Each structure stands twice: as structure tokens, then as C-alpha cells.
Amino acid sequence: MSLNALVSTLSGPVGECRKYLRGHCLTFRGHASENPRLPETLAESKIIFIGPPGSAMRSLGDKISSTIVAQHAKVPCMPWSGTGISDTMLSPQGFVTVPEKAYNDACVNSWEEGLEKAEKIGWPIMIKASEGGGGKGIRKVEEADKFRNAFQAVAGEVPGTSRFRGEGARLTSQDLPSSL
């Protein structure tokens, strides 16, 4: 994919990117700055990207996968629906990836499954959609009888998400600010 096509795809129409790049600094925000193709395509055009390489974005850009990778590296993590899951592997391109089974095991796919994991983690917990962002798809739940409604509210805020972390729900046990 050409640089013009990539930037246009990620950031909307920008015209002839190359003529503006010489001696200038472009900033990318949102989806563009999180897309692993951006630093790779810029490098092909001999443009320095200040930020993580595409390989790191691929390995760590997903909330669930990144936590599994952190657990594999023995980084202390708050208890969550995927606590103890640390299976990783290297792709043929050398990227750290998480096997599908490990990923699926870390996810919560129903409120009943989420409630079961929340009881093991302890209250309060956070329910976090595995997709989305910007404050959407997250709820603090203080007790079991409020879990189902909170889980369904999170699912409704992030259409199309079928997985939750309990943070698929990412359910965390650490005390959280009461303002949440």
C-alpha cells in the first residue's frame, strides 16, 4: 500500500502526502497512530516514525493479548478474567502472539461466565469491553446483584463486541476511585 493510500485510509483524504513531508512533522492521532502499518509504510518511504514499531503494536495493541504477554514476562498484573494465562508464541515474522485458545480462555462471553469469574476475583470489579475505547464499554460493579445489568450495559455501548475482559469482562479486584 502506498503512503498516500495508507494515510488517506487512516486519516481521511490528505492529497499528496510526500510533498508535505519533506522537512515537516506530521502527527497522527487515534486509529492512525495505533495501526502497525503506519510505521512500516513510513519506513519504506524513508520517513522516521517516532513511536513503537509495527511489531510492538501488533503484539501489545490488543487489551487482552497485551495482558497475556505481560503475564508471560512475569510483569505483575491486577487479577482479571485471564489471570494465570501466559501462553505466547512467535509468529513466522517474529511477532509475539497469543494462541487463539489462550485468548479465548481469557475472555468472558456471557454475564453468567463473568459473574462466576468476578466472584473468584472479588469485589469491586471493572467490566471492560475487549474492543472500543474513549471511556465506552467500562463499568465499575461493587456487588454481584448489579453485575448482570452492568455487563449488558457495557455490551450495548460497544456494538459488535462479543468478548469482554473482566477487564472480554476485565474484572479487576483492586479498589478503584469512587468517582467511577
Side-chain angles (χ1 to χ4, degrees):
M1 174 178 279
S2 74
L3 177 60
N4 290 335
L6 176 67
V7 173
S8 180
T9 299
L10 298 175
S11 304
V14 295
E16 285 293 318
C17 292
R18 287 183 206 279
K19 69 181 177 184
Y20 297 109
L21 291 174
R22 192 176 305 261
H24 291 82
C25 177
L26 291 180
T27 59
F28 296 92
R29 297 180 293 279
H31 295 295
S33 64
E34 298 169 4
N35 190 315
R37 293 181 304 158
L38 178 65
E40 294 163 355
T41 304
L42 290 172
E44 290 169 8
S45 298
K46 307 278 189 264
I47 299 167
I48 296 171
F49 177 75
I50 300 172
S55 59
M57 289 182 179
R58 279 189 185 83
S59 298
L60 302 175
D62 176 89
K63 297 167 189 160
I64 293 171
S65 293
S66 63
T67 308
I68 293 171
V69 170
Q71 290 175 160
H72 177 82
K74 308 271 191 259
V75 173
C77 298
M78 292 174 24
W80 68 295
S81 56
T83 292
I85 298 170
S86 60
D87 299 338
T88 62
M89 60 187 190
L90 284 179
S91 72
Q93 299 82 17
F95 305 134
V96 175
T97 62
V98 173
E100 189 171 348
K101 182 184 181 328
Y103 189 94
N104 290 336
D105 288 348
C107 293
V108 173
N109 296 294
S110 69
W111 74 265
E112 296 94 344
E113 183 185 358
L115 181 58
E116 189 176 305
K117 289 194 177 195
E119 291 288 355
K120 290 178 185 172
I121 293 168
W123 304 97
I125 58 94
M126 295 295 291
I127 302 172
K128 175 70 179 101
S130 62
E131 299 170 4
K136 296 285 184 193
I138 189 167
R139 288 286 188 290
K140 177 182 179 182
V141 185
E142 305 248 5
E143 53 200 43
D145 64 335
K146 298 192 179 188
F147 185 86
R148 180 180 183 171
N149 287 342
F151 188 94
Q152 291 171 336
V154 167
E157 283 183 9
V158 185
T161 194
S162 60
R163 297 180 173 171
F164 298 85
R165 39 184 220 152
E167 201 190 315
R170 180 158 175 122
L171 309 175
T172 61
S173 65
Q174 191 165 2
D175 287 329
L176 301 163
S178 59
S179 62
L180 291 176

